[in-house]
Amino acid sequence: MQTVDVLVVGAGLAGLRTARLLARRELNVLVVDRRRSLSTGIRTTGIFVRRTLDDFDLPDHLLGPGVRDVLLYPPSRRAPIRLTSDRDEYRVADMAAVYEHARRAAESAGARVLLGVRYVEASMGSVRFADAEPVTARFIVGADGARSQVARDLGLDVNRRFLLGAEIVHPVASGTATPAFHCVLDPRVAPGYLGWVIDDGRHAHVGVAGYPDAMRTGIRHLLDAFAAGAPGRAAPTGPIERRGGPIPVGGVLRRLVCPAGLLVGDAAGAVSPLTAGGLDPCLRMSGLAAAVAAEYLRTGDQRILSRYDGDALRARFRGRLLLRRVFAGIRSPAAAEAAVTALRGRAGRALAARVLFGDGSFPDVDW
């Protein structure tokens, strides 16, 4: 049975970045993912916010044009509120290519990445897979998504509050319109969240998300109904791809780490409770996770693990968790119309701009 210093379960952005940073510290790192290709099973729209683009070295050629305009629509779709920034606030990435880029970066740093290998369970450092020989791991990083099996095996906290999201992605004719982010507040199709339309210059992303218990007709039906008349949607020029999955919105989990391992990304609840954005949090927390894990493996001092503190992070989310509860309570078209009306005034527009264009969607985490 081979032994590794760190086993990373999940080859998403959080897992691959953590693996790269650990391998750069000369640790023996193995990444496994049940997918046979990183271009399948994508569960994110791939919207990167300005703060992420400023702070991380993302490959520019894999990002679409900058988006400065956000249009907020009430259920009636009439008279949207237009918010315009003087900077590029969003760019949509080709996520299949971004994952492949992250994989190559992890492998260049010395990590091994094995696809088509399904994690089964871990116990006392021994890890079993469905499609490969078992390994012994000194430390395990759970980057295996919102419903993490690693979290359960390590006795760590698990996500319990979710939105369910789905979108269709299809090619569009380039250069036909000014890039914009269309957001529709309509609890009939997206209870507790939004419907959205945005494109990356080559593909349109049309999606909805909401609380599963309120999606009585099913998310696929709601998505198709929304897409049929979605504002800002360009006509498809090629085949349609469907994506979807759970989005944890309960905030960063309290117990994220133990002597056997830790959690990153969606597995850690590292998603903004209000906006449901997870790409910026996963990159920020991966750096801290790698630093804590490397120092712990170097010294064996369990006190170091306390620096990866979910309670401390949650304390910085109180306002957003409160706004998430308010957002979740908008369950009728009349309430949604009233909410958009409240945002039309100066104070409302300032609040909306702060949420959509602000720098505080996820707190800095630093070793």
Side-chain angles (χ1 to χ4, degrees), residues 44 76 92 109 119-120 145 205 212 299 362:
T44 175
S76 65
V92 185
Y119 168 89
V120 175
H205 298 255
T299 65
F362 195 84

Side-chain angles (χ1 to χ4, degrees), residues 70-272:
V70 176
L71 285 82
L72 298 175
Y73 296 79
S76 65
R77 313 291 200 271
R78 292 193 296 269
I81 301 170
R82 179 182 289 270
L83 300 170
T84 301
S85 174
D86 58 0
R87 296 175 289 184
D88 291 343
E89 295 290 345
Y90 305 97
R91 295 180 72 181
V92 185
D94 177 349
M95 287 308 297
V98 167
Y99 288 143
E100 190 56 43
H101 175 86
R103 175 190 179 179
R104 290 195 300 269
E107 290 176 331
S108 295
R112 289 177 296 145
V113 181
L114 299 181
L115 302 181
V117 175
R118 182 169 63 86
Y119 168 89
V120 175
E121 66 175 358
S123 177
M124 304 294 290
S126 177
V127 184
R128 284 200 310 116
F129 306 112
D131 312 293
E133 294 297 316
V135 301
T136 297
R138 295 174 60 199
F139 202 74
I140 301 174
V141 173
D144 52 334
R147 294 191 172 99
S148 171
Q149 182 60 45
V150 172
R152 290 176 169 83
D153 291 344
L154 297 184
L156 300 174
D157 286 351
V158 296
N159 294 295
R160 302 194 182 280
R161 296 182 60 199
F162 298 94
L163 297 174
L164 183 61
E167 72 172 8
I168 56 176
V169 183
H170 59 73
V172 296
S174 61
T176 57
T178 301
F181 192 0
H182 302 265
C183 300
V184 180
L185 183 61
D186 187 348
R188 295 170 298 185
V189 295
Y193 194 61
L194 297 168
W196 65 88
V197 178
I198 191 170
D199 74 58
D200 59 11
R202 293 176 299 172
H203 295 83
H205 298 255
V206 184
V208 298
Y211 287 99
D213 62 342
M215 294 179 162
R216 294 183 176 84
T217 60
I219 191 167
R220 183 175 182 125
H221 172 80
L222 294 174
L223 174 58
D224 289 342
F226 173 71
R233 181 189 179 189
T237 61
I240 290 176
E241 171 195 351
R242 289 183 178 267
R243 300 178 180 177
I247 307 167
V249 289
V252 177
L253 300 174
R254 288 185 168 84
R255 190 159 186 259
L256 297 173
V257 64
C258 68
L262 55 73
L263 307 176
V264 293
D266 283 7
V271 174
S272 172

Side-chain angles (χ1 to χ4, degrees), residues 13 44-54 56 58-59 62-67 88-95 98-99 181 198 278-283:
L13 206 56
T44 175
T45 299
I47 300 173
F48 285 93
V49 299
R50 172 174 48 80
R51 186 165 175 244
T52 317
L53 298 168
D54 289 344
F56 296 95
L58 297 168
L62 301 181
L63 300 168
V67 177
D88 291 343
E89 295 290 345
Y90 305 97
R91 295 180 72 181
V92 185
D94 177 349
M95 287 308 297
V98 167
Y99 288 143
F181 192 0
I198 191 170
L279 294 175
D280 184 78
C282 88
L283 292 173

